[in-house]
Amino acid sequence: MTSHLLQDIAPQTPLSDPLSPAAAQSAVIELEGTRLVAVTTLPERARGAIGKRETAIFRQAIATASEHRLPLMMLIDSAGAKVDEGVAVQGDLRALIGDLLVGRQRIPGVLAVLGHNTFGGASLVAMCADQRLYTPANRLAMSGPRLLYARNLHQHRVDAVISAASRLRRDPAGHATSGTLTALRNDIARWLASSRRIDLNVGSATESVATLPSARVSRSQQEQHAWITCHGSAPPDHRDLADLAQAIQRLPAGLSLILRCQWSCHSLRAIDEARLQSLALVRLASTIEHRVRSGAAVELVIDGELSGGIYLALAACASQVKLTARGRVRSLPSRVAALITPRGDHPQASAEHLHALGIIDTLEAWDEH
């Protein structure tokens, strides 16, 4: 995908500044008599990585689609979040994913067209769509290949897991496209003519084989409040994510939830990536969004080092995010960030800085017991 792709697909009216150095652009286009909002990453600029400028462009596109009740198409070819922006990118991506999941209630369909790469936060954005079109060379994962290669013994296994062919077998809303301009126009036109809407929660409560409460997810309840705790600092596997989503879904309607998390990051294991971890994380976020939309408060309490996709899944739609004295938030754990960039992650931000960045909502150090 290139910066000319939107114009090549259909006539457009730019939304974002076409002269901006950002690695994203947006426009309103018209295809076969239907207007829709389109936003694209630009892989020729910083590998299409998503940071502050790019999230602003995506959020503007989502707001326009929501306000005017227009379908939204996202063309995503991205290395993921801009790690060199440090922890700030977590606040920006939290807002973007929250906008997408909430905005879906007013937007008549969201389509993601996936280019060569869809990694990290970009993979979560893609999974918020109702339907995804996978180009043949697409690779999609919650972590980039460099991290996955470093954490798994067999590179060929990683390559097979993150391939478009593998993702299409796991993605109930995934479809293949050749990626040529003619094919894209036809595939987008077919999507516009379809019902377009799917339920993001489909399948999330049935993938776990554990009996609740599991060893890593515990639940307690009083008359007006429920507590769910994610135990241990090790990253959750695909079963842990399904257990947590199921525990939230089983709560009585209207009961406010305090969700206490100690899990450190999303999993870097190939076996969890094979289960399409990005979709499992978005289903978890959608479970929280549905509960909040139904009128029940969901408060996330960060009680350890929280980072990566698990932070975004839990925080994107939470009513409020609090930090305990033990709480920390990073873009990725330091030991992991060091594998991506020589200087590793930025120094730990203060609670005041996390609040200013929109990563937490209150500075209060809080304990439930």
Side-chain angles (χ1 to χ4, degrees):
M1 296 183 194
T2 71
S3 57
H4 304 294
L5 185 57
L6 289 182
Q7 187 172 351
D8 291 341
I9 290 176
Q12 63 168 288
T13 302
L15 284 175
S16 61
D17 179 1
L19 300 179
S20 166
Q25 288 182 354
S26 61
V28 176
I29 68 175
E30 185 170 328
L31 186 64
E32 299 197 0
T34 300
R35 294 172 69 237
L36 65 153
V37 176
V39 57
T40 180
T41 61
L42 305 178
E44 68 271 26
R45 298 181 188 176
R47 298 182 300 159
I50 297 174
K52 187 171 292 292
R53 288 183 297 196
E54 291 74 24
T55 52
I57 291 171
F58 268 77
R59 294 184 71 191
Q60 178 193 36
I62 295 164
T64 301
S66 177
E67 178 183 357
H68 298 285
R69 299 295 182 103
L70 297 175
L72 173 66
M73 177 179 65
M74 304 182 294
L75 297 94
I76 303 175
D77 191 335
S78 171
K82 287 185 175 176
V83 177
D84 59 353
E85 291 190 6
V87 73
V89 75
Q90 291 290 76
D92 295 331
L93 282 170
R94 174 195 177 191
L96 169 55
I97 293 167
D99 284 356
L100 262 174
L101 291 177
V102 172
R104 289 178 82 254
Q105 309 310 313
R106 290 180 54 85
I107 298 173
V110 183
L111 174 69
V113 180
L114 309 183
H116 188 72
N117 296 316
T118 316
F119 297 133
S123 72
L124 295 181
V125 172
M127 291 300 155
C128 291
D130 297 304
Q131 188 178 121
R132 282 163 290 283
L133 296 177
Y134 289 81
T135 54
N138 175 254
R139 301 180 300 165
L140 183 148
M142 189 55 242
S143 300
R146 191 187 309 176
L147 279 182
L148 294 173
Y149 294 158
R151 294 285 171 165
N152 297 274
L153 291 176
H154 304 294
Q155 181 173 329
H156 68 277
R157 163 69 171 153
V158 171
D159 291 336
V161 161
I162 68 177
S163 69
S166 172
R167 292 340 199 170
L168 282 165
R169 288 193 293 270
R170 281 280 176 183
D171 187 350
H175 301 267
T177 180
S178 69
T180 67
L181 284 176
T182 298
L184 278 180
R185 287 193 194 98
N186 291 338
D187 290 335
I188 295 166
R190 274 193 291 272
W191 171 73
L192 287 170
S194 71
S195 61
R196 299 196 290 268
R197 173 65 70 227
I198 67 161
D199 182 358
L200 284 176
N201 288 312
V202 170
S204 62
T206 61
E207 294 182 4
S208 174
V209 296
T211 300
L212 290 173
S214 72
R216 300 203 65 201
V217 177
S218 67
R219 185 178 67 190
S220 61
Q221 186 175 322
Q222 292 181 355
E223 187 173 338
Q224 294 181 331
H225 299 279
W227 288 265
I228 295 177
T229 301
C230 306
H231 296 283
S233 61
D237 63 19
H238 63 278
R239 292 165 298 187
D240 296 324
L241 295 176
D243 284 345
L244 180 54
Q246 191 175 51
I248 295 171
Q249 289 172 346
R250 286 184 172 185
L251 292 174
L255 199 67
S256 64
L257 168 63
I258 298 172
L259 176 60
R260 192 181 186 93
C261 189
Q262 300 168 342
W263 293 341
S264 58
C265 184
H266 60 270
S267 174
L268 300 178
R269 301 194 310 163
I271 189 173
D272 293 316
E273 276 298 342
R275 297 294 185 118
L276 198 45
Q277 184 173 206
S278 302
L279 181 56
L281 288 165
V282 167
R283 282 172 168 166
L284 176 56
S286 181
T287 299
I288 294 172
E289 188 278 330
H290 182 268
R291 189 160 190 86
V292 173
R293 178 161 41 90
S294 300
V298 177
E299 182 179 279
L300 170 63
V301 179
I302 300 174
D303 195 28
E305 183 175 284
L306 193 61
S307 63
I310 189 64
Y311 163 80
L312 295 172
L314 298 180
C317 295
S319 311
Q320 188 174 66
V321 178
K322 289 186 176 182
L323 196 71
T324 71
R326 294 183 296 271
R328 302 286 186 272
V329 182
R330 294 183 177 275
S331 54
L332 285 172
S334 298
R335 67 185 185 281
V336 173
L339 298 173
I340 300 178
T341 173
R343 63 181 179 179
D345 202 359
H346 291 236
Q348 174 60 41
S350 67
E352 289 79 7
H353 192 206
L354 295 176
H355 181 263
L357 293 171
I359 294 168
I360 64 172
D361 300 317
T362 176
L363 306 183
E364 179 183 0
W366 183 91
D367 285 286
E368 75 178 67
H369 298 303

